Coordinates of all heavy atoms in Angstrom, one line a residue:
V360 N 34.7 -34.3 -56.7 CA 34.7 -34.9 -58.0 C 35.3 -36.3 -57.9 O 36.0 -36.5 -57.1 CB 35.5 -34.1 -59.0 CG1 37.0 -34.1 -58.7 CG2 35.4 -34.6 -60.5
E361 N 34.7 -37.2 -58.7 CA 35.2 -38.5 -58.6 C 35.5 -39.1 -60.1 O 34.9 -38.6 -61.0 CB 34.1 -39.4 -58.1 CG 33.9 -39.2 -56.6 CD 32.9 -40.2 -56.0 OE1 32.5 -41.3 -56.9 OE2 32.5 -40.2 -54.8
L362 N 36.4 -39.9 -60.1 CA 36.8 -40.6 -61.4 C 35.7 -41.7 -61.7 O 35.5 -42.6 -60.8 CB 38.1 -41.2 -61.4 CG 39.4 -40.3 -61.4 CD1 40.6 -40.9 -61.0 CD2 39.5 -39.5 -62.7
S363 N 35.1 -41.7 -62.8 CA 34.2 -42.7 -63.3 C 34.9 -44.0 -63.5 O 36.1 -44.1 -63.6 CB 33.4 -42.2 -64.5 OG 34.3 -42.3 -65.6
E364 N 34.0 -45.2 -63.5 CA 34.7 -46.4 -63.8 C 35.2 -46.3 -65.1 O 36.3 -47.0 -65.4 CB 33.6 -47.5 -63.6 CG 33.2 -47.8 -62.2 CD 34.5 -48.3 -61.4 OE1 35.3 -49.2 -61.9 OE2 34.6 -47.7 -60.2
A365 N 34.6 -45.8 -66.1 CA 35.1 -45.6 -67.5 C 36.5 -44.9 -67.4 O 37.4 -45.3 -68.2 CB 34.2 -45.0 -68.5
A366 N 36.6 -43.9 -66.7 CA 37.9 -43.2 -66.7 C 38.9 -44.0 -66.0 O 40.1 -44.0 -66.6 CB 37.7 -41.9 -65.9
L367 N 38.6 -44.7 -65.0 CA 39.6 -45.5 -64.3 C 40.0 -46.7 -65.2 O 41.2 -47.1 -65.2 CB 39.0 -46.1 -63.0 CG 38.9 -45.3 -61.8 CD1 38.1 -45.8 -60.7 CD2 40.3 -44.8 -61.3
K368 N 39.1 -47.3 -66.0 CA 39.5 -48.3 -66.9 C 40.5 -47.8 -68.0 O 41.4 -48.5 -68.3 CB 38.2 -48.8 -67.6 CG 38.5 -50.0 -68.5 CD 37.2 -50.5 -69.2 CE 37.5 -51.6 -70.1 NZ 36.2 -52.1 -70.8
G369 N 40.1 -46.6 -68.4 CA 41.1 -46.0 -69.3 C 42.4 -45.7 -68.8 O 43.6 -46.0 -69.4
L370 N 42.5 -45.3 -67.5 CA 43.8 -45.0 -66.8 C 44.5 -46.3 -66.6 O 45.8 -46.4 -66.7 CB 43.6 -44.3 -65.5 CG 43.1 -42.8 -65.7 CD1 42.6 -42.3 -64.3 CD2 44.2 -41.9 -66.2
R373 N 46.4 -47.8 -69.8 CA 47.5 -47.1 -70.5 C 49.0 -47.6 -70.0 O 49.1 -48.2 -68.9 CB 47.5 -45.6 -70.1 CG 46.3 -44.9 -70.8 CD 46.3 -43.4 -70.5 NE 47.5 -42.9 -70.8 CZ 47.8 -41.5 -70.8 NH1 46.9 -40.7 -70.3 NH2 48.9 -41.1 -71.1
N384 N 49.7 -36.6 -64.2 CA 49.4 -35.7 -65.2 C 48.2 -36.3 -66.1 O 47.3 -35.5 -66.6 CB 50.6 -35.5 -66.2 CG 51.7 -34.7 -65.5 OD1 51.4 -34.0 -64.4 ND2 52.9 -34.9 -66.0
A385 N 48.1 -37.6 -66.2 CA 47.1 -38.1 -66.9 C 45.7 -37.9 -66.2 O 44.6 -37.7 -66.8 CB 47.2 -39.6 -67.3
V386 N 45.8 -38.0 -64.9 CA 44.6 -37.8 -64.1 C 44.0 -36.3 -64.3 O 42.9 -36.2 -64.4 CB 44.8 -38.2 -62.6 CG1 43.6 -37.8 -61.7 CG2 45.0 -39.7 -62.5
A387 N 45.0 -35.5 -64.2 CA 44.7 -34.1 -64.3 C 44.0 -33.8 -65.7 O 43.0 -33.1 -65.8 CB 45.9 -33.2 -64.2
R388 N 44.5 -34.4 -66.7 CA 43.9 -34.3 -68.1 C 42.6 -34.9 -68.1 O 41.6 -34.3 -68.7 CB 44.9 -34.7 -69.2 CG 46.1 -34.0 -69.4 CD 46.7 -34.4 -70.7 NE 47.2 -35.8 -70.6 CZ 48.3 -36.2 -70.2 NH1 49.2 -35.3 -69.7 NH2 48.6 -37.5 -70.1
T389 N 42.4 -36.0 -67.5 CA 41.2 -36.7 -67.5 C 40.1 -36.0 -66.8 O 39.0 -35.7 -67.3 CB 41.3 -38.1 -66.9 OG1 42.2 -38.9 -67.6 CG2 39.9 -38.8 -66.8
L390 N 40.4 -35.4 -65.7 CA 39.4 -34.5 -64.9 C 39.0 -33.3 -65.6 O 38.0 -32.9 -65.7 CB 40.0 -34.2 -63.6 CG 40.2 -35.4 -62.6 CD1 40.7 -34.9 -61.3 CD2 38.8 -36.1 -62.4
S391 N 40.0 -32.7 -66.4 CA 39.8 -31.5 -67.0 C 39.0 -31.6 -68.3 O 38.3 -30.9 -68.8 CB 41.1 -30.7 -67.2 OG 41.7 -30.3 -65.9
L392 N 39.4 -32.7 -69.1 CA 39.0 -32.8 -70.4 C 38.2 -34.2 -70.9 O 37.4 -34.1 -71.6 CB 40.3 -32.7 -71.4 CG 41.0 -31.4 -71.3 CD1 42.2 -31.6 -72.1 CD2 40.2 -30.3 -71.7
G393 N 38.7 -35.3 -70.2 CA 38.2 -36.6 -70.7 C 37.1 -37.3 -69.9 O 36.8 -38.3 -70.3
D394 N 36.8 -36.8 -68.7 CA 35.9 -37.7 -67.8 C 34.5 -37.1 -67.9 O 34.3 -36.0 -67.3 CB 36.5 -37.8 -66.4 CG 35.6 -38.7 -65.5 OD1 34.5 -39.2 -66.0 OD2 36.0 -38.9 -64.4
P395 N 33.6 -37.6 -68.5 CA 32.2 -37.1 -68.5 C 31.6 -36.8 -67.2 O 30.8 -36.0 -67.0 CB 31.4 -38.2 -69.2 CG 32.1 -39.5 -69.1 CD 33.6 -39.0 -69.1
D396 N 32.0 -37.5 -66.1 CA 31.5 -37.4 -64.9 C 32.2 -36.2 -64.0 O 31.8 -35.9 -62.9 CB 31.5 -38.6 -63.9 CG 30.7 -39.8 -64.5 OD1 29.8 -39.4 -65.3 OD2 30.8 -40.9 -64.0
A397 N 33.1 -35.6 -64.7 CA 33.9 -34.5 -64.0 C 33.8 -33.2 -64.8 O 34.6 -32.4 -64.8 CB 35.3 -35.0 -63.8
S398 N 32.7 -33.1 -65.6 CA 32.6 -31.9 -66.6 C 32.5 -30.6 -65.7 O 33.1 -29.6 -66.1 CB 31.4 -32.0 -67.4 OG 30.2 -32.1 -66.5
T399 N 32.1 -30.7 -64.4 CA 32.0 -29.5 -63.7 C 33.4 -29.0 -63.3 O 33.6 -27.9 -62.8 CB 31.1 -29.6 -62.4 OG1 31.7 -30.7 -61.7 CG2 29.7 -29.9 -62.8
F400 N 34.4 -30.0 -63.3 CA 35.7 -29.6 -62.9 C 36.5 -28.9 -64.0 O 37.4 -28.3 -63.7 CB 36.4 -31.1 -62.6 CG 37.7 -30.9 -61.9 CD1 37.6 -31.0 -60.5 CD2 38.8 -30.8 -62.5 CE1 38.9 -30.8 -59.7 CE2 40.1 -30.8 -61.8 CZ 40.1 -30.8 -60.3
A401 N 36.0 -29.0 -65.2 CA 36.8 -28.4 -66.4 C 37.0 -27.0 -66.0 O 36.1 -26.2 -65.7 CB 36.0 -28.6 -67.6
G402 N 38.3 -26.5 -66.2 CA 38.6 -25.1 -66.0 C 39.0 -24.7 -64.5 O 39.6 -23.8 -64.3
V406 N 46.3 -27.4 -65.0 CA 47.3 -28.4 -65.1 C 48.7 -27.9 -64.7 O 49.5 -28.5 -64.1 CB 47.3 -29.0 -66.5 CG1 48.4 -30.1 -66.6 CG2 46.0 -29.7 -66.8

Side-chain angles (χ1 to χ4, degrees):
V360 66
E361 292 185 4
L362 289 167
S363 69
E364 285 303 318
L367 286 170
K368 182 179 180 181
L370 290 168
R373 291 185 52 176
N384 294 337
V386 171
R388 286 193 300 271
T389 299
L390 291 177
S391 297
L392 304 172
D394 184 355
D396 291 346
S398 57
T399 59
F400 194 89
V406 176

